Amino acid sequence: MEWAFEDPKDLASAANLEPVGLERGQVSGWTCWDPYLYLAVPTKGIDANKLTWLTVRMYSSTQADLLDIYYKSTEGHWCLGGKLPIEKGWATYRVDLVGNSWRETQTGEASRQWGGPCKRVATLRIDPGNQAGRWIIVDDVRLLPADAGLVEGVTVEPRGTMMVKTLHVPRTIEAGERIVVSAEVAARAPKDLKEGTAFCRLWKGDTILRVSDRVVSLAGGPISLQFSIPTSSYWYPGSLRVEVGCHELDLDKNGLEPCSEIALTNRRIGQAKPPVAELRSIGSDAAIFVNNQPIPGFMYASHGGLHIEHHKEMARNGIHLYSDWFGASHYSDMGHVEPGRYDYGEFDRYFAAILDADPDAYFLPHIGVTGPLWWQKAHPDEMCRFEDGSTGPTSFASELWKREMGDDLGKLVAYLRRAPYADRIIGYIIYGGYTAEWQMWGTWQKSRDDYSRPAVNAFRAFLGRKYIDDRRLRAAWNDPDVTIAAATMPDWAKRRPGGPLTLRDPESERQAMDFYEFTSNMTADALLHFARVAREAAGDKALVGTYYGYLTAHGINQQDSGHLAARRVFDSPYIDFLMSPPNYWFRKPGETSTFMAPSDSLRMRGKLWLDESDHRTHLSVPDAGYGRADNLEDTLGVFWREFAEVLCKRAAVSWYDMAGGWFAHPRILSDMGRAHAIMKGSLSLRKPFAPEVGVFVDAESFYWMRPTDANRALVLDQVVTLPQAGVPWDFCLLSDIDAPWLPDYKFYIFLNAFCVNADRREAIAAKLEHSKATALFVYAPGYFDGSGVSLQNMEALTGIRIAKSDTNGKPQLILDAADPLAGGIGPVDPVGAKTIVAPLFYADDPDVRIAGRLVSGNQPGLVVKKKSGWTSIYSAAMPLPPSLIRNMAREAGVHAWIETDDALYADNQFLGIHAATEGRKAVMLPAGVWASDALSGRRLPMREQTVVLDMRRGSTVLLGLHGPE
């Protein structure tokens, strides 16, 4: 099996090469730290029993550590390993994969073998040495069967020398003109070295702006080189450096230097004025305006290097807004490349390259604020610390980090707003933390953070603000010896006590509760600090946003996420938009798509939600996971499902190509262009809309819960299936229940309203009575009031008398088939979570209608009670199936659009349906409304307000809604 790179499809993706070149059957580029290349693998995988040797012909401009090989098997085993060091120059590397030094894995000892136990490889990657600052070329990769003639090792090809005799370049150049370079080189080459590749590179600081190369004869006599290199009219003025050389020849120091400086001028400096980018209301919801003109929030993002061919594909299909990345999650220099030296060349290269390809481009770039590696090494005490004593990147509590990186961010924004491309940047996505999403560094690790000295000091300051003095702290923590000045953070045992107990005991667990409240506010403090810096540097004329508010994403790790200070961030004047990927659970073809945050609370504040759609298309590597589509049909079904939700939620979307090429198919690109046109056309027609269902999550109640699987059952598992209930819904923070802008709903769902004080209880009651609504309360509503526990407070909130059983059990129900809530559901497994929880709650009220009983104990677990002007439903079980939610909504007077459990997204302008099953779908439209195919405009036939659609599982239909006539 061979990857000769004559066909670009041989390369699945490349990362940390700048720029990535794929010409003449070679992949080339300048390395950032940890470059790697994913090779295209056949759909059925590679037989690791038959193909056991790897050969790679490769060039490296300097030595590096190891040629590493990464595999992942079809059954999920993976490992990384290598034994051969990278040599300078051209060399062929031969590795016996059976005997390779397999070392890094998280899938068990059985993975430390080529192909894993199943011997079928789904993913193959080569890592050509970790070191940055090298030019590498990969010419050919092969997998071979074992053969007696194969010998493991490195065969280095002979090299010659070169002496630069003359080098002529212009002294000055205006941006947009061509640079003519001529040189005469004397070469000495070994007898067998007949040809070489001469190159000319144009540098700005540490960044290569242009590369030109050609094959030359090395057989005797001087070599005359001429290059004509275009410059960009968008390059920042300054000093450029021209370098000439030959990959096969080492420089003879007796000649001239191979580099020469050019002064670049640019008339656009001072002429390219930054745009005025802002959010304005259209149809009561935020839309992006640039220089007083609305633009659709529809963009493309590429990660892992500049992939200009994919930006060109987007531009050809009408998409001109890009949200690409600078920096990385674990380190980002923002142009501060070493102490006291700034170099913004990578920014100039990126923006100019895109604008040269797409002059209509606008940008909303990602800017990383984690300290650069040199800074982290210089300030080890400012790094986060895990409980086991190991360290991670910069602590969110580090004041030095916030101050110095904030200064770097301000300088970078100022630089960009003076640049020749300043008129094309509409805002900034400021990111940090684990996976760039402001998650605590240890959110998904066994040894979590942050126990660093900056964090401990900040924790004590937090306690001082909260408790004022030691007396109050001792009473809260039930510890007669604790002091604010010496308070410690809870260890793992206190954070995660284990066992089925779902709720905290505030008498004995307040230390852990305070810790989690602190870490979320520490994260919010850091995030908002950098948002403020960006806002002030941009003078309120650019959009600023980031990732935050993930209250449905972390399951058992929700408390460890750092995302529970959601309302603070939502309310901040420094934030215009927030964002997340779609939920990673239940996102396969045929399932649903939901945002990770209560985005409607953000929307109703006049702000924008940005959906960073990283759905894995069928063009991603086979082991990409997270709901990867297997074929084009499923890819398009998921694409239109995602777009339907974005459109109906009045959100923005960034189609995130995580590897370069996920959307590079004519049909995908064409459909993206059509979707962009639909969003653009929808803005002028948008009207206010509020659904009839409101779903509420309480960030603060997570502090009162232990990190258990109940997190997932209560919120994540419930939210991701709600689109299948057949009713549109808003997703909101419970703390917004008394906000004057919150609409009145017919049906309220309170997922985890566990800590409800008297004021909030009164606000909820007032809202329900005013709306004459139905409310669903789940598991332990109102059990805490901020100080202690009370079953009476539960009754005061729900209107239903609730009892508690301290026994362990599954929060599951057997529904009463005769009750209206069970209508149409049919015989099913017990409803609710399979996890064991404690305590169990149940209704102990003679005045309720019993719709279901707990599997554990047969007590009433799903009950309905009519109150004065409103109806209360209590469920001891979670999560509840979409069909049950649909029946509750219908009983509350909500219009159900569809009876089948297909994902539905709707406002008053569009309706999207994603089929969970094959077959006929009956869509029931409200009175006076008719529907068209949103793509073709064709009016659909309708009978008795019902549109019938025949759908394939995993397909999506997007309808336009019209009327009443």
Side-chain angles (χ1 to χ4, degrees):
M1 181 176 293
E2 181 179 12
W3 292 267
F5 306 113
E6 298 291 346
D7 185 345
K9 293 181 181 178
D10 282 354
L11 180 66
S13 65
N16 299 328
L17 288 177
E18 300 288 349
V20 179
L22 185 52
E23 295 179 316
R24 298 193 302 274
Q26 296 177 336
V27 181
S28 62
W30 189 256
T31 62
C32 304
W33 180 259
D34 187 25
Y36 53 83
L37 285 73
Y38 278 99
L39 306 176
V41 172
T43 303
K44 295 182 179 180
I46 296 168
D47 187 340
N49 281 315
K50 294 181 178 179
L51 300 173
T52 59
W53 281 74
L54 176 76
T55 72
V56 179
R57 183 173 184 264
M58 186 178 73
Y59 169 85
S60 176
S61 59
T62 61
Q63 292 179 328
D65 47 13
L66 291 175
L67 173 66
D68 271 333
I69 302 104
Y70 168 93
Y71 85 86
K72 188 171 185 180
S73 73
T74 54
E75 61 182 12
H77 287 269
W78 65 266
C79 200
L80 174 78
K83 61 170 66 172
L84 302 180
I86 301 295
E87 300 291 345
K88 179 180 178 180
W90 281 103
T92 298
Y93 301 80
R94 295 180 181 87
V95 183
D96 176 3
L97 295 170
V98 175
N100 189 36
S101 299
W102 299 105
R103 64 183 191 278
E104 294 182 22
T105 186
Q106 294 178 351
T107 52
E109 284 300 312
S111 300
R112 298 183 195 277
Q113 57 178 310
W114 168 235
C118 74
K119 299 298 181 184
R120 179 63 60 174
V121 172
T123 302
L124 181 62
R125 189 183 87 199
I126 60 170
D127 296 13
N130 283 312
Q131 279 69 24
R134 296 176 294 128
W135 188 264
I136 65 166
I137 307 170
V138 180
D139 179 63
D140 184 83
V141 180
R142 300 185 187 194
L143 282 176
L144 303 169
D147 184 275
L150 291 171
V151 178
E152 191 171 59
V154 184
T155 302
V156 179
E157 298 179 13
R159 296 181 60 76
T161 61
M162 60 170 276
M163 179 186 295
V164 180
K165 307 289 285 185
T166 63
L167 176 59
H168 298 289
V169 300
R171 297 184 65 180
T172 62
I173 196 81
E174 172 66 20
E177 297 177 352
R178 300 184 78 86
I179 299 175
V180 177
V181 179
S182 63
E184 186 174 286
V185 175
R188 288 184 180 178
K191 182 177 180 181
D192 295 334
L193 187 57
K194 305 296 186 185
E195 288 185 340
T197 303
F199 62 81
C200 180
R201 298 180 190 140
L202 188 61
W203 296 78
K204 182 176 184 188
D206 297 334
T207 302
I208 298 176
L209 298 178
R210 291 278 193 268
V211 178
S212 179
D213 59 24
R214 65 195 54 187
V215 176
V216 296
S217 173
L218 301 179
I223 304 171
S224 294
L225 301 177
Q226 277 211 338
F227 300 93
S228 179
I229 300 177
T231 64
S232 171
S233 59
Y234 298 101
W235 284 351
Y236 216 105
S239 179
L240 302 180
R241 186 172 80 256
V242 173
E243 177 193 14
V244 296
C246 183
H247 295 309
E248 291 76 15
L249 305 176
D250 294 322
L251 182 67
D252 185 334
K253 297 292 186 178
N254 292 318
L256 298 175
E257 284 295 318
C259 300
S260 186
E261 300 288 325
I262 302 174
L264 177 75
T265 59
N266 194 323
R267 298 186 186 95
R268 286 180 61 87
I269 287 293
Q271 303 301 311
K273 301 295 185 183
V276 176
E278 58 190 337
L279 298 179
R280 296 184 188 175
S281 177
I282 299 180
S284 78
D285 292 313
I288 299 172
F289 277 72
V290 178
N291 295 331
N292 296 316
Q293 297 299 313
I295 67 169
F298 193 108
M299 61 199 81
Y300 169 74
S302 176
H303 191 48
L306 179 63
H307 301 284
I308 193 67
E309 67 276 13
H310 301 310
H311 294 83
K312 290 179 180 178
E313 291 171 340
M314 294 296 156
R316 285 193 292 268
N317 286 276
I319 299 160
H320 303 285
L321 181 55
Y322 306 109
S323 58
D324 297 330
W325 293 68
F326 293 95
S329 177
H330 283 66
Y331 56 88
S332 302
D333 61 39
M334 290 183 284
H336 195 174
V337 294
E338 61 184 39
R341 187 169 73 88
Y342 291 82
D343 181 348
Y344 299 112
E346 67 166 315
F347 296 92
D348 294 339
R349 179 186 62 83
Y350 165 80
F351 289 112
I354 301 296
L355 285 166
D356 286 340
D358 179 11
D360 294 324
Y362 278 115
F363 302 96
L364 185 64
H366 287 72
I367 307 293
V369 297
T370 306
L373 287 176
W374 65 261
W375 192 93
Q376 294 186 39
K377 291 176 181 178
H379 302 286
D381 292 339
E382 304 299 317
M383 300 302 104
C384 84
R385 184 170 296 276
F386 300 100
E387 189 184 11
D388 63 5
S390 61
T391 59
T394 42
S395 169
F396 292 164
S398 169
E399 294 299 324
L400 181 65
W401 164 65
K402 285 187 280 190
R403 182 171 64 253
E404 295 195 359
M405 295 310 106
D407 183 61
D408 285 347
L409 176 61
K411 289 177 179 176
L412 172 61
V413 172
Y415 178 91
L416 296 177
R417 292 180 70 78
R418 293 191 304 267
Y421 43 79
D423 55 338
R424 310 312 296 178
I425 301 175
I426 68 170
Y428 309 92
I429 299 169
I430 308 301
Y431 73 85
Y434 184 75
T435 63
E437 297 165 278
W438 291 109
Q439 300 175 99
M440 295 287 288
W441 292 110
T443 296
W444 301 99
Q445 311 303 318
K446 290 183 179 179
S447 181
R448 290 173 171 81
D449 59 319
D450 182 2
Y451 295 87
S452 67
R453 176 53 53 190
V456 170
N457 291 340
F459 180 54
R460 291 168 179 169
F462 165 83
L463 295 175
R465 293 190 298 272
K466 182 171 183 177
Y467 293 110
I468 310 301
D469 57 39
D470 291 342
R471 180 183 60 82
R472 291 183 178 89
L473 176 63
R474 288 167 177 165
W477 282 21
N478 197 21
D479 181 347
D481 299 320
V482 69
T483 64
I484 291 173
T488 60
M489 293 178 166
D491 60 16
W492 179 254
K494 290 182 178 179
R495 291 167 66 173
R496 297 260 183 122
L501 193 62
T502 302
L503 305 174
R504 294 277 188 190
D505 177 1
E507 292 294 319
S508 62
E509 298 187 68
R510 184 72 72 166
Q511 181 192 20
M513 296 165 66
D514 283 342
F515 173 80
Y516 283 125
E517 183 181 354
F518 159 71
T519 55
S520 280
N521 279 281
M522 173 184 68
T523 304
D525 287 343
L527 179 162
L528 294 176
H529 166 77
F530 289 104
R532 177 184 59 79
V533 170
R535 165 77 71 226
E536 292 175 353
D540 280 333
K541 297 185 185 302
L543 304 178
V544 177
T546 189
Y547 304 85
Y548 200 71
Y550 295 17
L551 301 183
T552 71
H554 293 97
I556 193 173
N557 297 325
Q558 188 64 64
Q559 288 86 344
D560 292 289
S561 66
H563 275 238
L564 300 182
R567 183 170 181 173
R568 273 192 65 199
V569 177
F570 281 26
D571 282 339
S572 172
Y574 308 126
I575 294 293
D576 294 301
F577 64 91
L578 292 173
M579 59 193 294
S580 79
N583 258 311
Y584 286 112
W585 286 266
F586 210 64
R587 56 144 65 175
K588 297 176 183 176
E591 296 177 344
T592 69
S593 183
T594 52
F595 304 149
M596 290 183 176
S599 60
D600 294 296
S601 273
L602 188 74
R603 175 181 58 82
M604 286 184 271
R605 283 170 164 78
K607 300 184 179 185
L608 188 67
W609 185 258
L610 173 54
D611 176 45
E612 187 172 72
S613 180
D614 61 354
H615 284 285
R616 278 67 167 163
T617 73
H618 71 292
L619 300 177
S620 62
V621 294
D623 69 338
Y626 300 108
R628 179 186 183 271
D630 292 330
N631 52 58
L632 177 60
E633 281 188 332
D634 283 348
T635 289
L636 295 175
V638 169
F639 167 79
W640 285 105
R641 179 189 73 192
E642 192 71 17
F643 179 69
E645 182 182 31
V646 167
L647 198 61
C648 295
K649 284 290 189 179
R650 281 108 187 263
V653 63
S654 176
W655 302 103
Y656 186 18
D657 184 351
M658 296 182 73
W662 281 8
F663 306 112
H665 186 284
R667 178 62 192 279
I668 300 174
L669 293 166
S670 172
D671 279 21
M672 292 180 79
R674 296 167 80 184
H676 177 272
I678 289 172
M679 179 182 281
K680 182 177 181 179
S682 72
L683 292 176
S684 62
L685 302 174
R686 201 160 72 181
K687 296 178 181 179
F689 171 75
E692 297 178 301
V693 178
V695 180
F696 294 83
V697 62
D698 185 32
E700 290 81 8
S701 283
F702 282 111
Y703 301 139
W704 298 78
M705 299 169 61
R706 288 182 169 185
T708 70
D709 284 333
N711 285 355
R712 176 169 183 151
L714 279 160
V715 180
L716 174 57
D717 288 346
Q718 189 66 78
V719 167
V720 296
T721 59
L722 275 175
Q724 295 181 323
V727 293
W729 47 283
D730 276 345
F731 190 28
C732 305
L733 291 169
L734 179 61
S735 55
D736 288 339
I737 192 68
D738 58 352
W741 36 257
L742 189 76
D744 293 333
Y745 303 107
K746 293 182 178 179
F747 184 34
Y748 293 75
I749 300 175
F750 299 104
L751 297 175
N752 68 330
F754 299 163
C755 184
V756 180
N757 62 24
D759 289 343
R760 184 161 295 170
R761 190 165 59 240
E762 291 177 7
I764 292 172
K767 193 71 171 175
L768 296 176
E769 291 172 7
H770 173 76
S771 305
K772 296 180 172 53
T774 295
L776 167 64
F777 299 95
V778 183
Y779 185 60
Y783 185 60
F784 302 103
D785 64 1
S787 56
V789 301
S790 171
L791 293 176
Q792 289 73 30
N793 287 343
M794 297 178 75
E795 182 176 3
L797 176 62
T798 65
I800 296 170
R801 193 169 70 201
I802 296 172
K804 177 170 73 77
S805 170
D806 290 324
T807 59
N808 304 338
K810 296 179 179 179
Q812 291 182 307
L813 300 170
I814 297 295
L815 298 178
D816 182 349
D819 191 90
L821 293 186
I825 296 177
V828 293
D829 292 333
V831 167
K834 297 180 181 179
T835 185
I836 301 295
V837 303
L840 285 170
F841 295 93
Y842 59 91
D844 183 25
D845 191 324
D847 298 324
V848 299
R849 184 182 102 211
I850 300 173
R853 293 182 176 272
L854 283 171
V855 172
S856 301
N858 200 41
Q859 300 101 331
L862 180 65
V863 299
V864 183
K865 186 175 183 180
K866 295 289 185 180
K867 299 295 295 176
S868 176
W870 63 285
T871 300
S872 181
I873 302 176
Y874 170 71
S875 173
M878 73 285 192
L880 304 180
S883 52
L884 185 56
I885 298 292
R886 181 164 54 249
N887 287 344
M888 292 178 181
R890 185 185 292 106
E891 193 166 295
V894 175
H895 173 76
W897 295 69
I898 195 168
E899 292 296 326
T900 47
D901 288 352
D902 304 293
L904 176 138
Y905 313 94
D907 64 358
N908 52 11
Q909 198 175 359
F910 295 97
L911 170 71
I913 298 172
H914 182 71
T917 58
E918 190 100 7
R920 183 157 291 184
K921 318 295 178 184
V923 182
M924 294 158 285
L925 302 178
V929 173
W930 59 273
S932 65
D933 183 320
L935 276 69
S936 68
R938 178 178 61 89
R939 181 166 181 161
L940 299 180
M942 180 174 61
R943 184 174 182 180
E944 296 180 352
Q945 288 300 119
T946 299
V947 173
V948 176
L949 304 168
D950 289 313
M951 298 184 67
R952 178 187 61 83
R953 184 186 183 279
S955 64
T956 302
V957 172
L958 182 64
L959 306 181
L961 300 178
H962 313 272
E965 293 181 324

